[in-house]
């Protein structure tokens, strides 16, 4: 048997097995053909239905590819389903009645033509039973949107006709809860209002029927400026007059709490999840709730499990509820409030309370008409009972409040994507936030779904699936469901879909609205107010693992007080997490969804926001770099976009803290700038990161950022910027002991600077070449390069450069054994650095002076010099040169006959070297090994 589902998610079932139909767009092609099953659909029509006004290039080839894949997917039913090419289009040939949409229409027509009322009820019930949710809910094209509206109207019409048939059969009592919910959802539907009024009247609740009439009359008058229809006014008069014509056979009365038949103990918990891993700490926390019940004077215990959609809140609640069910001898109540259901409206509190009253055996005729009265009766029925009340998927505190019992013997467990702070304040609810699963737990969950044999057969694919699901339980379960539906599908095919960010959310869609990650996120997103939704969309641009509140303010161009409010709203919806004060992050899959939503805006909105964000990082990073090294040659900046407010960093320490928190984000902003065609921004960001990367030993990041800067300078045709990038690459490769590469980069920089007649650039580069030659064991060549640098600096009047060249020349004189010249040159460097107030460069000169004094056996003076240098590099946070000076100080301690002191110093140096990847790491380990083995150690 083959069935096709359109009234909900798009699906095909063959002999009880749901087929894998591929990604969402491919499913749309199938749906577009199924709507006109057994009729030719022209290619132009097909394209319009699936893509609307924005078809891809070579769309006919894309259509052909999708149809080819659909034929493969439908192969298990090839003898009963045919996709055929006809003149001008395609036809999907299927059995009559196999498509739920066409069967729904056929059954509805039969029901309306039926002679017998019971037959009509049965046919309508069968027709409406075909609906599984909102048709094509994840599809957004004009044609599908229009068809969806038509189908929902057809469903409403069938529901109304079905209700009329049931009322004619005297089934008014069992209709009340359903009609109450539908009336809340459709407050202006007069026919529905009349049905609800009649059901209330026949159930012995005429006052409520009259109140409902007044409510809809007021809504019609105030909202539309019209009076109720003649039919509704007539019904109103009949109820006022207790017209016998409204009477109907009464349905059998259920026995109330005071009746003879005992009321069954409610056991309403749904089945617990078949595969459940981890959450031991959370389960222990929930167990702690039971201890509170031992206090006879205590209040009702309420725990609210919060977290993003798909994090496993309901699974945790049900697992714990089943584990502890024996502690609640009076039963367990359960309701799903559908607060964030992608295909249904939230359940009104009145409907949920009424459901609980029915479960507790309340006599329908004794139930008060108003919500307050019903809630009071509910509290009376739960008083002194040991009940567990599970309220799943609450939208907000207001939806939950009427469901809270008054007795401390009851325990309430709530799940919600919102932070129910109102319940915390007013009722002392205990909030339990869920985070993603640990890697080991995620692996266990996935293997539990897939089976160990299948997972073991493709370990690399399993690793990819785990990486891209990032610990989100629903994502893992969706992939497992897709794999289970297609046992022959290799896991590598799923892994390949997940590898591409553009198709990742498509891969996490089973075709069922309840198992579609995009739909789960969508329901949280659509609950946001407009400003918060706009912030969420733009946060998809964030280039790093997180984003600061100040960067967010520039991104969205709003004042900080408003930004903080909106961030709190996103955090309350569990769409962002404040993992450190003032810093926010998103789950990787939520970020993908935010990016998708961002691209639904006009391109100008997205591009302007991206420019603001890169402007923020460029201007703040430039300010921070200037504070780290105030003597560095400045670069020009263009004015920031309106709405951009760079961070106001006060001093060197604030700049270092900012780079420590932001360097990965700023590095990510390089890619963001390149992707936006902002090459000047990319170059400036790379420039700004150099000093911090040098201080903290992030050399691989430094090299990567400068390669981006070099490419940006080449695209811009700016030889000065190219030269600066080559020189910076020379510095970092030399630092990493890649001396040949460093020498090549410095040589390319020197050629460019000479062509530009840039004296300072040439001088900087000669110093770099001298450094390389020294490291290569050619101190005389190195000294020659530094003397050239010194002459160029003096010619250009560059005092900071002169100080550095003097220090380098002094060091190189030490390398050739001329220590007195070292003392002379480096003393000049110290004096000049003090004049220009450059403690960082001064520290290097003190290091050189210490080295020369060591070689002259002046160990006390050498130690004094090293300590002066250490104080200065530590003051600026330069860990690379701190390692260098500590290494030299240890040598001096050992030479002075104090191996124990040498060992202490070298251990400090090794700890920093291992943390930064310093080239001296192995040498330091060797020194420590030797000093530990020496007799005097």
């Amino acid at each position: 048997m083959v069935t096709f589902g359109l009234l909900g998610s798009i699906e095909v079932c063959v002999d009880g097995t749901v087929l894998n139909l591929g990604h969402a767009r491919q499913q749309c092609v199938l749906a577009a053909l199924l709507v006109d099953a057994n009729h030719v659909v022209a290619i132009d029509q097909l394209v319009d239905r699936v893509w609307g006004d924005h078809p891809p290039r070579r769309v006919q080839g894309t259509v052909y590819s999708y149809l080819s894949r659909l034929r493969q997917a439908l192969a298990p039913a090839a003898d009963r389903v045919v996709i055929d090419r006809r003149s001008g289009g395609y036809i999907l040939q299927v059995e009559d009645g196999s498509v739920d949409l066409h069967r729904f229409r056929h059954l509805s027509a039969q029901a309306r033509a039926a002679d017998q009322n019971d037959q009509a009820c049965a046919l309508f019930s069968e027709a409406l039973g075909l609906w599984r949710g909102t048709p094509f809910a994840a599809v957004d094209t004009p044609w599908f949107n229009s068809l969806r509206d038509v189908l929902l109207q057809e469903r409403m019409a069938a529901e109304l006709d079905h209700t009329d048939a049931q009322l004619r059969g005297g089934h008014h009592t069992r209709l009340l809860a359903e009609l109450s919910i539908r009336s809340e959802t459709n407050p202006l539907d007069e026919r529905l209002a009349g049905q609800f009024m009649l059901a209330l009247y026949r159930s012995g609740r005429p006052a409520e029927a009259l109140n409902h009439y007044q409510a809809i009359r007021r809504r019609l008058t105030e909202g539309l400026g019209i009076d109720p229809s003649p039919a509704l006014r007539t019904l109103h008069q009949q109820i006022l007059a207790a017209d016998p014509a409204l009477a109907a056979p009464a349905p059998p009365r259920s026995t109330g709490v005071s009746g003879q038949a005992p009321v069954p103990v409610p056991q309403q918990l749904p089945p617990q999840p078949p595969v459940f891993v981890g959450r031991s700490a959370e389960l222990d926390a929930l167990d702690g709730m039971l201890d509170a019940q031992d206090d006879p004077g205590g209040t009702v215990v309420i725990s609210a499990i919060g977290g993003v959609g798909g994090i496993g809140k309901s699974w945790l609640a049900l697992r714990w509820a089943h584990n502890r069910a024996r502690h609640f001898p009076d039963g367990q109540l359960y309701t799903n409030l559908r607060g964030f259901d992608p295909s249904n409206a939230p359940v009104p509190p009145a409907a949920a309370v009424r459901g609980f009253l029915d479960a507790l055996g309340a006599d329908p005729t004794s139930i008060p008409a108003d919500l307050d009265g019903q809630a009071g009766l509910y509290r009376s029925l739960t008083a002194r009972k040991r009940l567990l009340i599970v309220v799943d998927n609450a939208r907000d505190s207001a939806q939950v409040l009427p469901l809270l019992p008054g007795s401390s013997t009851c325990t309430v467990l709530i799940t919600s994507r919102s932070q129910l702070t109102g319940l915390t304040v007013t009722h002392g609810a205990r909030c339990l936030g869920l985070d993603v699963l640990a890697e080991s737990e995620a692996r266990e969950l996935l293997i539990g779904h897939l089976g160990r044999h299948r997972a073991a057969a493709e370990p690399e694919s399993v690793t990819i699936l785990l990486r891209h699901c990032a610990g989100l339980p629903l994502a893992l379960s969706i992939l497992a469901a897709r794999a289970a539906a297609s046992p022959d599908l290799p896991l590598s095919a799923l892994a390949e879909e997940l590898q591409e960010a553009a198709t990742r959310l498509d891969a996490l869609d089973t075709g069922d609205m309840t198992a579609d990650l995009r739909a789960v996120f969508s329901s949280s997103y659509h609950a946001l107010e407009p400003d918060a939704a706009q912030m969420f969309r733009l946060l998809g641009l964030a280039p790093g693992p997180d984003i600061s509140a100040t960067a967010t303010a520039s991104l969205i161009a709003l004042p900080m007080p408003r930004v903080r409010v909106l961030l709190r709203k996103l955090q309350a919806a569990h769409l962002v997490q404040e993992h450190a004060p003032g810093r926010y992050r998103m789950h990787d899959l939520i970020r993908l969804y935010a990016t998708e939503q961002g691209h639904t805006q006009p391109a100008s909105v997205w591009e302007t926001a991206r420019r603001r964000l890169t402007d923020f990082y460029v201007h703040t990073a430039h300010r921070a770099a200037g504070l780290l090294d105030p003597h560095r040659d400045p670069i020009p900046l263009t004015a920031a976009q309106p709405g951009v407010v760079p961070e106001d960093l006060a001093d060197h320490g604030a700049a270092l803290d900012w780079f420590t928190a932001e360097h990965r984000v700023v590095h990510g902003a390089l890619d963001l700038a390149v992707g936006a065609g902002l090459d000047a921004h990319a170059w400036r960001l790379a420039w700004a990161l150099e000093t911090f990367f040098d201080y903290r030993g992030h050399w691989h990041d430094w090299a990567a950022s400068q390669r981006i800067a070099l490419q940006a300078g080449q695209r811009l045709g700016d030889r000065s910027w190219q030269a600066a990038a080559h020189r910076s690459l020379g510095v970092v490769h030399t630092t990493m002991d890649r001396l040949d590469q460093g020498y090549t980069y410095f040589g390319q920089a020197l050629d460019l600077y000479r062509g530009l007649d840039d004296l300072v650039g040439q001088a900087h580069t000669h110093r770099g070449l001298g450094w390389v030659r020294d490291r290569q064991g050619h101190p005389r060549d190195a000294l020659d390069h530094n003397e050239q640098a010194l002459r160029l600096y003096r010619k250009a009047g560059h005092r900071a450069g002169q100080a550095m060249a003097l220090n380098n020349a002094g060091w190189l004189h030490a390398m050739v054994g001329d220590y007195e010249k070292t003392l002379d040159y480096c003393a000049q460097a110290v004096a000049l650095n003090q004049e220009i107030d450059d403690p960082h460069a001064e520290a290097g000169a003190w290091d050189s002076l210490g080295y020369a004094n060591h070689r002259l056996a002046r160990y006390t003076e050498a130690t004094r010099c090293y300590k002066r240098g250490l104080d200065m590099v530590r003051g600026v946070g330069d860990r690379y040169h701190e390692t260098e000076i500590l290494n030299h100080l240890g040598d001096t301690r050992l030479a002075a006959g104090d191996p124990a002191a040498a060992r202490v110093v070298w251990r400090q140096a090794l700890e920093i070297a291992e943390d930064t990847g310093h080239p001296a790491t192995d040498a330091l380990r060797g020194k420590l090994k030797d000093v530990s083995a020496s007799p005097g150690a």
Side-chain angles (χ1 to χ4, degrees):
M1 181 179 179
V2 183
T3 58
F4 296 87
L6 297 178
L7 302 179
S9 56
I10 302 166
E11 69 176 35
V12 179
C13 186
V14 178
D15 300 327
T17 300
V18 177
L19 302 184
N20 177 12
L21 300 174
H23 56 73
R25 191 74 72 180
Q26 188 167 295
Q27 294 179 30
C28 288
V29 173
L30 178 65
L33 293 172
L34 284 170
V35 170
D36 285 310
N38 301 315
H39 293 83
V40 175
V41 179
I43 293 177
D44 289 346
Q45 285 182 296
L46 194 57
V47 170
D48 178 67
R49 291 177 182 186
V50 176
W51 284 278
D53 296 331
H54 303 287
R57 290 182 295 176
R58 297 185 293 275
V59 67
Q60 292 196 10
T62 303
V63 169
Y64 179 81
S65 173
Y66 285 174
L67 290 171
S68 176
R69 293 178 196 169
L70 285 171
R71 289 189 183 99
Q72 295 175 15
L74 296 169
D79 56 332
R80 291 161 285 180
V81 182
V82 177
I83 299 177
D84 204 1
R85 177 70 185 266
R86 296 289 175 84
S87 177
Y90 291 91
I91 185 171
L92 178 60
Q93 295 176 300
V94 296
E95 298 174 0
D96 291 339
S98 61
V99 183
D100 59 0
L101 166 59
H102 305 309
R103 182 160 178 76
F104 164 75
R105 286 173 168 170
H106 176 69
L107 289 169
S108 297
Q110 283 187 309
R112 292 182 179 106
D115 295 330
Q116 300 295 323
N117 196 66
D118 289 347
Q119 183 185 13
C121 285
L123 289 168
F124 275 126
S125 181
E126 184 180 354
L128 292 166
L130 296 171
W131 284 74
R132 294 168 290 107
T134 302
F136 332 115
V139 183
D140 185 17
T141 69
W143 186 83
F144 274 108
N145 292 342
S146 176
L147 178 59
R148 183 188 302 115
D149 292 341
V150 169
L151 291 176
L152 291 174
Q153 290 173 11
E154 290 182 20
R155 175 181 178 172
M156 183 67 176
E159 288 175 339
L160 291 169
D161 290 345
H162 186 207
T163 300
D164 281 340
Q166 290 177 292
L167 288 170
R168 287 194 297 271
H171 302 297
H172 43 271
T173 303
R174 71 185 186 194
L175 286 170
L176 281 175
E178 177 187 346
L179 286 172
S180 174
I181 294 171
R182 284 167 53 196
S183 296
E184 290 277 350
T185 308
N186 302 276
L188 296 177
D189 191 303
E190 295 184 70
R191 184 178 173 194
L192 179 60
Q195 292 173 340
F196 189 29
M197 289 165 58
L198 182 58
L200 286 167
Y201 176 78
R202 287 181 174 176
S203 299
R205 298 154 70 176
E208 291 178 62
L210 295 171
N211 287 339
H212 190 70
Y213 174 81
Q214 295 301 331
I216 190 171
R217 184 189 64 78
R218 185 168 54 254
R219 284 193 292 267
L220 290 169
T221 302
E222 295 175 357
L224 301 178
I226 61 175
D227 292 325
S229 65
L232 197 60
R233 293 201 302 270
T234 299
L235 177 60
H236 175 235
Q237 291 300 321
Q238 288 179 296
I239 293 172
L240 285 172
D243 190 339
L246 298 181
R253 273 185 58 183
S254 59
T255 303
V257 289
S258 58
Q260 292 78 19
V263 177
V265 174
Q267 306 279 345
Q268 293 190 323
L269 293 179
Q272 60 179 314
V275 180
F276 185 90
V277 300
R279 306 300 192 198
S280 56
E282 291 83 356
L283 289 168
D284 289 344
L286 292 173
D287 284 343
M289 293 193 310
L290 295 179
D291 297 336
Q293 291 181 321
D294 295 334
D295 177 11
T299 59
V300 59
V301 178
I302 306 166
S303 184
I305 303 173
V308 67
I311 202 71
K313 302 180 294 296
S314 297
W315 291 359
L316 173 64
L318 291 175
R319 176 63 170 234
W320 184 84
H322 279 279
N323 288 349
R324 299 297 169 181
R326 66 182 183 277
H327 291 274
F328 303 98
D330 294 315
Q332 306 91 42
L333 296 173
Y334 173 87
T335 184
N336 180 0
L337 294 181
R338 298 201 301 263
F340 297 90
D341 193 302
S343 59
N344 293 287
V347 174
V353 171
R354 183 58 191 262
F356 280 174
L357 290 176
D358 291 341
L360 293 168
D363 185 340
T365 61
S366 67
I367 295 175
D370 61 298
L371 176 59
D372 288 343
Q374 292 175 4
L377 176 59
Y378 164 67
R379 289 191 292 272
S380 297
L381 293 176
T382 56
R384 294 178 296 282
K385 288 188 176 180
R386 291 296 298 267
L387 278 166
L388 173 62
I389 301 155
V390 179
V391 180
D392 202 5
N393 199 14
R395 190 175 186 86
D396 51 34
S397 298
Q399 197 183 20
V400 174
L401 286 172
L403 305 177
L404 299 180
S407 174
S408 63
T409 58
C410 296
T411 292
V412 181
L413 188 57
I414 306 163
T415 74
S416 179
R417 297 187 204 177
S418 297
Q419 289 179 338
L420 304 178
T421 51
L423 288 182
T424 304
V425 173
T426 60
H427 289 75
R430 305 172 185 184
C431 295
L432 180 64
L434 291 193
D435 204 345
V436 296
L437 295 173
E439 196 279 336
S440 58
E441 295 171 339
R443 183 177 293 274
E444 184 182 348
L445 178 62
L446 185 60
I447 291 173
H449 282 301
L450 294 174
R452 296 197 176 274
H453 178 73
R454 190 171 183 183
E458 297 186 71
E460 292 182 2
S461 297
V462 168
T463 299
I464 292 171
L465 299 182
L466 290 169
R467 181 169 68 248
H468 290 301
C469 288
L472 192 67
L474 180 59
L476 294 164
S477 299
I478 287 172
L479 288 177
R482 286 192 58 192
S486 304
D488 297 328
L489 179 71
L491 298 181
S492 59
L494 291 175
E496 184 178 353
E497 284 189 64
L498 282 184
Q499 293 276 49
E500 293 294 329
T503 59
R504 194 167 300 153
L505 291 179
D506 290 333
L508 295 167
D509 176 6
T510 63
D512 185 331
M513 287 291 289
T514 61
D516 175 357
L517 204 62
R518 187 182 278 109
V520 170
F521 294 158
S522 174
S523 53
S524 293
Y525 163 67
H526 287 296
L528 298 172
E529 66 173 72
D531 277 357
Q534 174 69 350
M535 176 179 282
F536 175 75
R537 290 191 293 269
L538 293 182
L539 282 173
L541 279 167
D546 62 1
I547 188 169
S548 66
T550 48
T552 304
S554 291
L555 170 67
I556 197 169
L558 287 175
M560 275 303 300
R562 181 60 177 159
V563 167
R564 292 191 185 98
V565 169
L566 296 177
L567 283 168
R568 284 197 293 270
K569 290 181 182 295
L570 292 182
Q571 188 172 11
H574 294 283
L575 292 172
V576 301
Q577 178 187 11
E578 189 179 14
H579 68 99
R583 302 198 67 82
Y584 298 83
R585 67 186 177 194
M586 286 177 162
H587 188 277
D588 291 349
L589 294 171
I590 295 178
R591 186 196 296 264
L592 274 180
Y593 179 75
T595 303
E596 281 190 355
Q597 295 308 307
H599 283 301
T600 64
Q601 304 174 104
S604 59
V605 174
W606 186 256
E607 290 165 4
T608 302
R610 181 165 53 183
R611 176 63 183 268
R612 284 197 302 267
L613 188 60
T614 51
D615 273 355
F616 168 83
Y617 287 122
V618 166
H619 282 261
T620 308
H622 184 269
R623 183 176 297 180
L627 289 167
L628 288 189
D629 186 357
H631 297 282
R632 190 175 174 197
D633 299 331
I635 60 170
L637 287 183
T638 56
Q641 293 287 300
V644 174
V645 182
E647 286 208 40
D648 186 14
L649 305 172
D651 52 27
H652 181 283
L656 195 60
D657 290 344
W658 188 83
F659 269 125
T660 300
E662 297 281 6
H663 71 273
R664 286 191 297 167
V665 181
V666 179
H667 197 279
L670 281 165
D671 293 326
L672 183 67
V674 171
L678 301 173
D679 284 323
H681 285 66
W683 189 91
R684 290 181 172 111
L685 284 168
W687 178 91
L689 284 163
E690 282 185 73
T691 302
F692 174 78
F693 283 160
D694 185 19
Y695 283 4
R696 291 305 170 92
H698 297 305
W699 297 309
H700 293 285
D701 287 341
W702 182 358
S705 66
Q706 284 302 317
R707 283 192 288 270
I708 294 172
L710 178 57
Q711 292 164 1
Q714 290 168 340
R715 284 191 295 270
L716 291 167
D718 190 314
R719 290 187 298 155
S720 174
W721 286 10
Q722 293 171 43
H726 277 297
R727 187 174 69 82
S728 186
L729 285 165
V731 174
V732 68
H733 280 86
T734 304
T735 301
M736 292 190 290
D737 216 25
R738 299 172 182 175
L739 303 181
D740 290 342
Q741 291 170 276
Y743 191 84
T744 299
Y745 278 120
F746 279 129
Q748 291 168 321
L750 187 58
D751 289 342
L752 286 164
Y753 280 130
R754 281 173 175 164
L756 293 164
D757 196 25
D758 183 339
L759 299 182
V760 173
Q762 291 176 58
H764 288 333
T765 309
H766 274 298
R767 280 198 308 108
L769 286 165
W771 180 26
V772 176
R773 295 302 283 161
D774 176 37
R775 296 280 293 274
Q776 290 175 331
H778 303 285
R780 296 289 180 186
D781 288 351
L783 188 55
D784 180 62
H785 277 296
N786 272 281
E787 293 292 354
Q788 291 185 65
L790 185 56
R791 284 194 298 273
L792 288 164
Y793 282 132
R794 284 172 173 163
K795 185 177 180 181
H798 195 285
R799 300 180 76 206
Q802 292 174 47
M804 289 185 287
L806 284 166
N807 176 50
N808 289 356
W811 173 263
L812 289 165
H813 278 295
M815 294 300 99
V816 297
D818 195 345
Y819 303 117
E820 293 298 338
K821 278 195 175 180
T822 298
L823 295 176
D824 177 39
Y825 272 93
C826 292
Q828 292 182 59
V830 167
L832 187 51
N833 279 312
Q834 288 175 347
E835 287 178 25
I836 64 175
D837 191 23
D838 189 348
H840 183 228
E842 184 184 342
W846 283 113
D847 181 31
S848 300
L849 286 169
Y851 185 84
N853 279 294
H854 171 103
R855 291 298 175 182
L856 293 169
R858 301 170 183 170
Y859 301 129
T860 301
E861 181 62 19
T863 299
R864 185 185 70 82
C865 292
Y866 285 139
K867 287 185 175 180
R868 289 285 299 273
L870 273 176
D871 289 343
M872 290 177 177
V873 293
R874 285 169 174 164
V876 297
D878 183 350
R879 305 187 77 202
Y880 178 88
H881 287 100
E882 183 180 357
T883 306
E884 296 275 294
I885 298 174
L886 285 169
N887 190 6
H888 296 157
L889 177 59
D891 293 341
T892 299
R893 294 291 199 192
L894 183 64
D898 193 347
R903 185 168 59 244
V904 170
V905 173
W906 282 334
R907 280 178 178 165
Q908 293 175 32
L910 180 61
E911 182 178 341
I912 302 170
E914 289 177 333
D915 189 39
T916 61
H918 196 287
T921 302
D922 290 339
L924 283 165
R925 290 195 186 107
K927 288 180 179 181
L928 281 167
K929 183 178 179 182
D930 292 342
V931 76
S932 297
S934 67

